[in-house]
Amino acid sequence: MALRLVSDFDLGKDVLPWLRAQRAALVAAGAGGGGPGVLENNYESLRVLNVERNGNIIYTYKDDKGNVFFGLYDYQTKQNEHLYTFEKDLQVVSCSVNRERTLLATSLVQAAKEGRRNELQPGSRCLTLLVEIHPINNVKVLKAVDSYIWVQFLYPHVESHPLPENHLLLISEEKYIEQLHIQVTREDGNRVVIKNSGHLPRERVAEDFVWAQWDMSEQRLYYIDLKKSRSVLKCIQFYADEHFSLMFEAPLDVSLSDSGFKLVNFGYDDLQDQEKLSKHPTLCVFTNHTGSLCVCYCPNFDSWEQITYSVLYFHKGHSKTFTATLGHVDSRVTKGITFLSLDYYVAVYLPGHFFHLLNIQHPDLICHSLFLTGNSEVIDMLPHSPLQSLSGPLVLDWCSGKLYRALLNQSYLLEFLWNTRLDCEKLALLQCVLSCGRDPRRLEAKIIQWISENISACHSFDLIQEFIIASSYWSIYPETSNMDKLLPYSSLLTWDTEIPGITLVTEEIPLPLMKVHSFKGYWEKLNSNLEYVKYSKPHLHYNNSVVRREWHSLISEEKKGKRRSTVYVRNILDNAIKVISNLEARNLEPRLTPLFQEEDNHQRLLMGLMVSELKDHLLRHLQGVEKKKIEQMVLDYVSKLLDLICQILEASWRKHNLHPWVLHLNRRASAAEFAVFHIMTRILEATNSLFLPLPPGFHTLHTILGVHCLPLHNLLHYIDNGVLLLTEAAVTRLMKDLDNTEKNEKVKFSIIVRLPPLTGQKICRLWDHPVSSNIISRNHVKRLLQNYNKQPRSSMMDKSSFSVEFLPLNYFIEILTDIESSNPALYAFEGHDNVDAKFVEEAALKHTTMLLGL
């Protein structure tokens, strides 16, 4: 299943054996006839009450006389501890223990039994108590009221030493929340007592709310109050001391006016009116370390034909409302929908019907979220009882008493990636697997294997492009939370294809109004996200448009024999050297493919320009990040791009068992070479449209494989359309390795005439052939005659100096000889002093003889 639930705690395994051992010890000691040590055999009353911030789990159970026992499971030591016993038949509403385990707060109600008078307090329905339990001392009544009360100790970040003051929240069914300040002192060595038990200072935290959620990990209280029938979400942050702050207010377009009172994450809520709860809409708030703020909302639904739910992405400034078609009704359906937080994702599921994995970090495109409907594995693997998301990956099944760590199942996602046929699911799975981030090298290898098998299977997006962009992005994303605003995370800009069974409506929403001015940690990141939405509507994602213009400008100048300042070009090429050095340092394994074995200045220029432009882009928009860190991030990013291209090529090379002798041209191409040539062509297509650099040597290898694999007319078509680039290294190898058969002569000649003049002149020297001499001669003549002014000359010619009576040629050679003798500098040809009029004459005659077949 896409969601893997790893059990961190199970009442049946982590508590019951200890209880039975305790009972057996008491029976053996003679206490088995009765008293507090005797427990009922089936332990049906055993249930989890609360999970504290440090992971400790509080549970309760009763003996056969109805006495209520409180126990604690230490999450770190995996040990159980008995906290306290009430020797009365009471029912527990709520319970919490302070960090030092010296104070126990609990709310209790009278067990409903006929003929039993109220033993708590006349006129009260719920009694809230504060108990000194280290050692067991006094019991103080905090509340004796007719409404339910829930309790929750605050847990400060300070863990080094006990605090002199504890802070306790009292949450009342009458829609108010108070904070009590409890000072403690030590007497007689280790005996802890309440110092101010006569009067506990208290202050009102919130009131007139209809819904509240507790975030135990971050010590935050979210609640909703109604202002003129409008729902307003508020958040209070509690700090290590008694200080707390209202952080923001956010209007919600949800209807809660008739839904009653609902608490989330305040412990076991069995005593809240189940009939009212079943009519209450499902609403949860989720945050993560990147500064995201999501509100997930599902209204009541009467029809089982379809379910609608909404996610308000406050950190992005919009909401999305999803409508899922159920198709069929399953009798095993739970009472409602479940939302779970999974770091960069929110899981939404209804067992038996659907499992949705919503991308909250990049929610702009629906195809970045995964929608599974009617999948038997969804039905079989997920619990049918409701799960409660506690904090981070922790989720609790209150019914079974099991605490899980919810994780995305990479193995399942990869397997599903191989089997799915829908492009939207392929894209969502690819993004999801890469965002998981565990063992990225292994994941990339598996994804590359999948790409090589499905290279033409996607019609809505380019697999190679999406993999390169997404993997490069996630490789440096943890460096700073602003990367999602500055770097592209997908090759797609839009998605217009429908997703089966899902309809989507996107709307802009009002942003939260921050109520404080000094931000730290999460709040600083959230505020940064909100500021971006407010003031930076145009996307700041980096693209290579500037690099494209500058690169073409440099190449054009090079062809014209011009060059920008040597310092500028040297700096660009130095950037490329750093990239290649960084790449080689991170990849110590020897490469199979013959890459990085030539200079390839064009690709080095492209690399260096990308480093320069990307560095400038990040320096402009990343405030407060050191320049050295940004420079290293840029090097890592560009190195990653190149490394991924190398990995794809290496995997294909290894799969088809190619060897270095593939570069020898006097042999027939194999099916393996065709396959690798095809992969390289697809890589080239993917990188060209994004204007990404390629490893030096890529074009040389691609061209040589093209000569191997393609008929001449196809080869020339690829060259003329820019698919194959004729590098000097590739053409040099062709000239040297191909023999002078008629077929190879056509290949050589066709390629030479397509070379730039300067490169062509160099290459022609390597081919001792009439065609090569003819081309050299033409270039020589072109240079001599480009500034030639015709002069009147005598009709009498000295024929004795010419060995062949071919008057047009003789006349032309005479003109060349005159030009050469009058201005030797015009025909100076680097490395070829023997190119002169005589050479031109001999080349012309040889070429003519060859063409006539004489």
Side-chain angles (χ1 to χ4, degrees):
M1 178 51 209
L3 184 64
R4 184 162 59 98
L5 298 177
V6 180
S7 179
D8 271 16
F9 170 80
D10 185 346
L11 274 177
K13 295 180 180 179
D14 296 308
V15 175
L16 267 182
W18 179 77
L19 293 179
R20 291 189 174 118
Q22 292 284 96
R23 180 175 185 273
L26 290 171
V27 170
V38 180
L39 305 176
E40 55 189 356
N41 291 330
N42 53 17
Y43 301 102
E44 288 183 354
S45 65
L46 181 63
R47 59 183 173 88
V48 172
L49 286 176
N50 201 2
V51 180
E52 302 289 7
R53 181 184 190 180
N54 55 11
N56 292 345
I57 299 164
I58 305 172
Y59 52 87
T60 184
Y61 52 91
K62 291 184 179 181
D63 64 8
D64 56 348
K65 294 184 178 180
N67 298 325
V68 181
F69 295 81
F70 292 93
L72 180 141
Y73 177 80
D74 191 309
Y75 189 74
Q76 300 297 325
T77 65
K78 312 299 181 186
Q79 299 295 316
N80 287 279
E81 175 184 340
H82 175 250
L83 294 177
Y84 195 73
T85 301
F86 282 101
E87 296 182 356
K88 292 184 180 182
D89 192 0
L90 303 172
Q91 196 167 350
V92 183
V93 177
S94 176
C95 182
S96 183
V97 67
N98 66 344
R99 181 172 61 87
E100 296 82 10
R101 301 184 205 172
T102 57
L103 299 176
L104 177 74
T106 183
S107 291
L108 306 137
V109 297
Q110 183 67 50
K113 291 188 178 180
E114 293 185 8
R116 199 90 178 263
R117 65 182 180 83
N118 191 338
E119 298 180 7
L120 293 175
Q121 193 164 324
S124 65
R125 178 186 176 198
C126 178
L127 187 66
T128 304
L129 305 174
L130 182 62
V131 185
E132 299 170 350
I133 59 172
H134 188 69
I136 296 173
N137 298 311
N138 301 319
V139 176
K140 178 177 175 57
V141 177
L142 297 178
K143 290 277 186 180
V145 292
D146 196 38
S147 58
Y148 290 130
I149 299 289
W150 286 262
V151 293
Q152 178 62 58
F153 273 105
L154 299 181
Y155 273 62
H157 284 280
V158 180
E159 298 288 346
S160 58
H161 56 82
L163 295 175
E165 189 169 77
N166 290 266
H167 309 287
L168 177 68
L169 294 181
L170 297 183
I171 303 93
S172 172
E173 192 180 24
E174 295 180 347
K175 301 180 181 179
Y176 68 84
I177 300 176
E178 291 181 331
Q179 180 179 201
L180 273 64
H181 307 289
I182 307 162
Q183 291 187 352
V184 296
T185 185
R186 293 184 179 274
E187 295 180 355
D188 302 330
N190 214 22
R191 181 170 175 267
V192 176
V193 297
I194 301 172
K195 184 177 180 181
N196 55 343
S197 60
H199 172 70
L200 297 178
R202 63 184 67 198
E203 56 188 315
R204 191 63 58 98
V205 174
E207 55 189 4
D208 297 330
F209 65 92
V210 294
W211 172 94
Q213 175 180 317
W214 177 243
D215 185 336
M216 68 171 187
S217 176
E218 303 299 334
Q219 299 287 278
R220 296 177 194 143
L221 172 69
Y222 300 96
Y223 67 97
I224 295 174
D225 63 14
L226 299 178
K227 293 184 176 179
K228 297 180 181 180
S229 300
R230 189 185 189 192
S231 300
V232 178
L233 174 67
K234 299 181 179 181
C235 177
I236 289 177
Q237 175 73 68
F238 293 93
Y239 299 98
D241 55 13
E242 71 275 8
H243 176 62
F244 62 87
S245 298
L246 176 64
M247 301 305 297
F248 69 78
E249 294 182 355
L252 296 180
D253 187 19
V254 299
S255 177
L256 294 176
S257 56
D258 301 324
S259 59
F261 175 75
K262 176 70 182 291
L263 297 178
V264 179
N265 286 355
F266 279 101
Y268 190 68
D269 58 3
D270 186 51
L271 290 178
Q272 286 191 263
D273 192 324
Q274 292 300 317
E275 185 177 349
K276 290 182 180 179
L277 285 179
S278 63
K279 297 179 181 179
H280 201 289
T282 304
L283 193 146
C284 299
V285 178
F286 295 129
T287 62
N288 73 7
H289 63 281
T290 66
S292 67
L293 174 63
C294 290
V295 176
C296 303
Y297 170 72
C298 180
N300 300 325
F301 48 88
D302 300 321
S303 170
W304 285 102
E305 295 179 0
Q306 62 182 26
I307 289 182
T308 297
Y309 65 89
S310 300
V311 180
L312 288 74
Y313 304 92
F314 279 109
H315 58 294
K316 296 292 183 180
H318 63 255
S319 69
K320 292 183 182 292
T321 299
F322 302 89
T323 300
T325 303
L326 299 185
H328 69 281
V329 177
D330 193 325
S331 60
R332 296 179 292 172
V333 156
T334 57
K335 292 182 179 179
I337 202 168
T338 297
F339 296 100
L340 298 177
S341 176
L342 298 170
D343 201 13
Y344 300 119
Y345 289 84
V346 166
V348 187
Y349 78 89
L350 188 67
H353 288 281
F354 65 76
F355 176 86
H356 297 169
L357 203 57
L358 305 181
N359 191 324
I360 61 172
Q361 204 61 31
H362 308 120
D364 301 328
L365 300 180
I366 188 175
C367 55
H368 286 152
S369 299
L370 180 65
F371 300 91
L372 306 180
T373 303
N375 190 310
S376 60
E377 293 190 10
V378 175
I379 298 172
D380 296 336
M381 297 295 291
L382 290 173
H384 285 222
S385 55
L387 294 177
Q388 183 65 58
S389 188
L390 296 181
S391 179
L394 292 179
V395 295
L396 184 63
D397 183 346
W398 292 106
C399 296
S400 66
K402 294 181 179 179
L403 182 69
Y404 298 103
R405 189 171 295 273
L407 304 170
L408 291 173
N409 189 339
Q410 286 188 345
S411 299
Y412 175 86
L413 295 174
L414 283 169
E415 181 182 351
F416 191 22
L417 187 61
W418 277 88
N419 298 326
T420 185
R421 295 174 178 266
L422 298 177
D423 281 5
C424 57
E425 291 183 348
K426 292 173 186 174
L427 186 64
L429 288 162
L430 182 60
Q431 286 279 348
C432 187
V433 168
L434 290 172
S435 68
C436 292
R438 296 184 294 274
D439 196 2
R441 197 75 179 182
R442 183 186 69 85
L443 285 177
E444 288 166 357
K446 290 185 175 295
I447 292 173
I448 288 171
Q449 183 184 0
W450 169 70
I451 289 175
S452 66
E453 298 288 338
N454 298 272
I455 190 68
S456 301
C458 288
H459 306 288
S460 307
F461 67 101
D462 188 301
L463 275 177
I464 294 176
Q465 277 187 355
E466 188 68 15
F467 170 63
I468 290 174
I469 293 298
S471 188
S472 300
Y473 166 80
W474 284 109
S475 70
I476 68 166
Y477 176 78
E479 298 291 334
T480 171
S481 59
N482 289 321
M483 280 299 155
D484 60 332
K485 307 176 188 67
L486 303 177
L487 285 179
Y489 46 82
S490 173
S491 61
L492 294 180
L493 298 177
T494 59
W495 179 272
D496 301 322
T497 308
E498 291 186 2
I499 294 179
I502 295 293
T503 57
L504 171 67
V505 176
T506 302
E507 297 177 312
E508 288 193 5
I509 57 175
L511 297 179
L513 175 63
M514 303 303 290
K515 308 295 285 187
V516 297
H517 302 288
S518 178
F519 303 104
K520 292 182 180 179
Y522 165 80
W523 299 110
E524 183 179 10
K525 294 175 182 177
L526 173 62
N527 189 60
S528 174
N529 288 333
L530 298 178
E531 293 294 308
Y532 173 77
V533 174
K534 286 180 188 175
Y535 304 114
S536 302
K537 284 293 182 183
H539 288 298
L540 296 178
H541 286 163
Y542 169 82
N543 66 72
N544 274 342
S545 57
V546 175
V547 173
R548 186 192 300 266
R549 290 195 301 268
E550 183 67 4
W551 186 81
H552 282 303
S553 175
L554 286 172
I555 299 303
S556 175
E557 290 173 6
E558 182 184 86
K559 289 179 179 178
K560 294 176 182 177
K562 301 176 183 178
R563 179 61 94 174
R564 209 85 54 93
S565 73
T566 55
V567 175
Y568 173 76
V569 176
R570 189 185 307 119
N571 287 337
I572 297 298
L573 294 177
D574 284 347
N575 287 339
I577 293 172
K578 291 177 184 177
V579 169
I580 295 174
S581 176
N582 189 51
L583 175 58
E584 296 298 341
R586 296 171 62 178
N587 184 31
L588 301 177
E589 298 179 3
R591 297 188 187 278
L592 295 175
T593 50
L595 299 176
F596 300 100
Q597 294 179 5
E598 63 180 86
E599 283 298 314
D600 199 346
N601 277 348
H602 288 183
Q603 289 305 311
R604 288 175 179 260
L605 281 174
L606 185 52
M607 268 184 244
L609 284 170
M610 186 173 180
V611 170
S612 179
E613 291 299 327
L614 182 55
K615 182 170 64 176
D616 291 345
H617 176 74
L618 295 184
L619 284 171
R620 278 194 302 270
H621 301 293
L622 274 183
Q623 303 299 322
V625 182
E626 292 182 358
K627 183 179 179 181
K628 286 186 177 180
K629 183 177 181 180
I630 289 178
E631 289 175 349
Q632 187 59 49
M633 286 165 52
V634 170
L635 287 177
D636 290 342
Y637 183 78
V638 180
S639 299
K640 185 68 176 181
L641 287 171
L642 292 170
D643 183 49
L644 292 170
I645 294 169
C646 292
Q647 284 189 59
I648 297 172
L649 192 51
E650 287 273 311
S652 181
W653 196 276
R654 191 177 296 107
K655 174 184 175 182
H656 297 288
N657 199 28
L658 292 190
H659 299 282
W661 57 73
V662 69
L663 299 179
H664 297 295
L665 292 165
N666 286 316
R667 42 185 293 279
R668 294 179 61 85
S670 64
E673 290 166 25
F674 273 99
V676 174
F677 176 74
H678 179 61
I679 285 286
M680 293 189 74
T681 304
R682 294 301 297 267
I683 292 173
L684 191 65
E685 290 174 359
T687 54
N688 273 353
S689 59
L690 298 175
F691 210 70
L692 300 177
L694 289 163
F698 182 94
H699 286 299
T700 295
L701 181 58
H702 191 212
T703 299
I704 291 174
L705 285 174
V707 173
H708 263 307
C709 300
L710 299 175
L712 180 58
H713 64 282
N714 284 353
L715 175 70
L716 300 180
H717 179 72
Y718 273 49
I719 293 172
D720 293 339
N721 285 277
V723 178
L724 292 176
L725 296 186
L726 297 175
T727 64
E728 188 174 328
V731 180
T732 299
R733 183 174 285 274
L734 291 176
M735 294 301 115
K736 290 182 176 179
D737 288 2
L738 287 179
D739 56 24
N740 288 330
T741 61
E742 182 178 354
K743 176 184 176 182
N744 288 344
E745 284 180 352
K746 289 182 179 180
V747 173
K748 289 182 179 181
F749 177 73
S750 301
I751 287 176
I752 283 178
V753 296
R754 285 168 167 78
L755 293 174
L758 293 177
T759 306
Q761 290 175 11
K762 294 180 183 178
I763 296 301
C764 284
R765 305 171 200 166
L766 305 175
W767 186 22
D768 184 13
H769 190 271
V771 171
S772 177
S773 300
N774 180 271
I775 294 172
I776 294 172
S777 299
R778 288 183 181 188
N779 290 332
H780 178 72
V781 170
K782 181 180 179 181
R783 292 194 64 190
L784 288 180
L785 297 181
Q786 61 185 358
N787 295 315
Y788 172 66
N789 292 321
K790 185 176 181 182
Q791 301 291 333
R793 51 180 71 243
S794 171
S795 59
M796 298 299 294
M797 298 173 57
D798 182 9
K799 299 178 183 177
S800 62
S801 62
F802 300 99
S803 59
V804 178
E805 292 293 337
F806 185 30
L807 294 180
L809 178 61
N810 294 346
Y811 181 74
F812 181 63
I813 296 303
E814 181 186 12
I815 292 174
L816 295 181
T817 303
D818 288 345
I819 295 174
E820 290 173 356
S821 61
S822 62
N823 193 351
L826 287 175
Y827 68 92
F829 192 15
E830 182 182 352
H832 271 261
D833 297 332
N834 59 336
V835 179
D836 53 13
K838 186 66 175 176
F839 179 88
V840 172
E841 180 187 22
E842 292 175 357
L845 292 173
K846 287 182 182 178
H847 191 62
T848 302
T849 303
M850 183 187 73
L851 291 176
L852 295 176
L854 299 176

